Amino acid sequence: MKTAIIAVVTAIIFVISGYIFGGYIGVTRIARASNYATLMWLTNIDKNLQQGNIDRAKKLTFLATDGSFGALEQIDTIPLSFLVVVLTGISSKLGMKELHEQIATRAKQHFAPRLDEFSEASKINIQKIVEVELLQSKCSSSNKK
């Protein structure tokens, strides 16, 4: 009887710990992916605005907004697909880490001249970015108008 109680209590502790730890991992992966996606769009929009490509910046703004609305709809209607990607680590197998590093490098290089304008937390994060080699963007030729 005593061993059964210990086993049940131990199982409950492991289940609760797994739930909390799994939730933490899932939430941080979602937050990280969402913010890198936002950073990618904002960097490209700002770049086009600085180059005077207002129409391209408007188009990117619309595409980013459309993508966000679409993702929100999928989260509400097909939540399991996002949960599976986040919790199983499929995102790491899809090269998300490398993609995030490239997005961060592009953003760091683009916003470096304006570093003093950022908040302290942003400055710290920007300075911590380890730059990686960037492949030629498939979109860069269409950005040069």
Side-chain angles (χ1 to χ4, degrees), residues 114-131:
R114 298 172 58 190
L115 188 63
D116 292 342
E117 298 176 41
F118 286 95
S119 67
E120 281 304 310
S122 294
K123 286 180 192 176
I124 291 168
N125 186 275
I126 291 169
Q127 291 168 342
K128 287 191 320 186
I129 294 171
V130 177
E131 294 184 37

Side-chain angles (χ1 to χ4, degrees), residues 22-140:
Y24 171 77
I25 290 172
V27 168
T28 56
R29 285 185 182 172
I30 289 171
R32 183 174 288 113
S34 174
N35 280 289
Y36 276 115
T38 301
L39 184 61
M40 176 188 71
W41 286 109
L42 293 175
T43 301
N44 283 307
I45 290 167
D46 188 69
K47 178 180 171 185
N48 280 283
L49 287 173
Q50 287 183 11
Q51 293 173 347
N53 299 333
I54 304 300
D55 290 337
R56 178 75 177 148
K58 285 181 181 179
K59 183 177 180 180
L60 288 172
T61 302
F62 177 80
L63 290 172
T65 305
D66 183 47
S68 294
F69 280 128
L72 289 169
E73 176 61 20
Q74 286 185 347
I75 289 169
D76 288 342
T77 57
I78 317 169
L80 185 58
S81 62
F82 285 94
L83 188 61
V84 168
V85 168
V86 169
L87 295 181
T88 61
I90 292 174
S91 60
S92 63
K93 293 180 182 112
L94 296 176
M96 295 304 289
K97 182 177 186 284
E98 293 82 6
L99 178 62
H100 291 168
E101 289 171 344
Q102 291 176 8
I103 291 169
T105 297
R106 286 187 204 287
K108 180 179 182 178
Q109 291 174 354
H110 177 74
F111 288 109
R114 298 172 58 190
L115 188 63
D116 292 342
E117 298 176 41
F118 286 95
S119 67
E120 281 304 310
S122 294
K123 286 180 192 176
I124 291 168
N125 186 275
I126 291 169
Q127 291 168 342
K128 287 191 320 186
I129 294 171
V130 177
E131 294 184 37
V132 297
E133 183 179 346
L134 296 174
L135 303 174
Q136 183 63 29
S137 172
K138 294 176 185 172
C139 300
S140 63

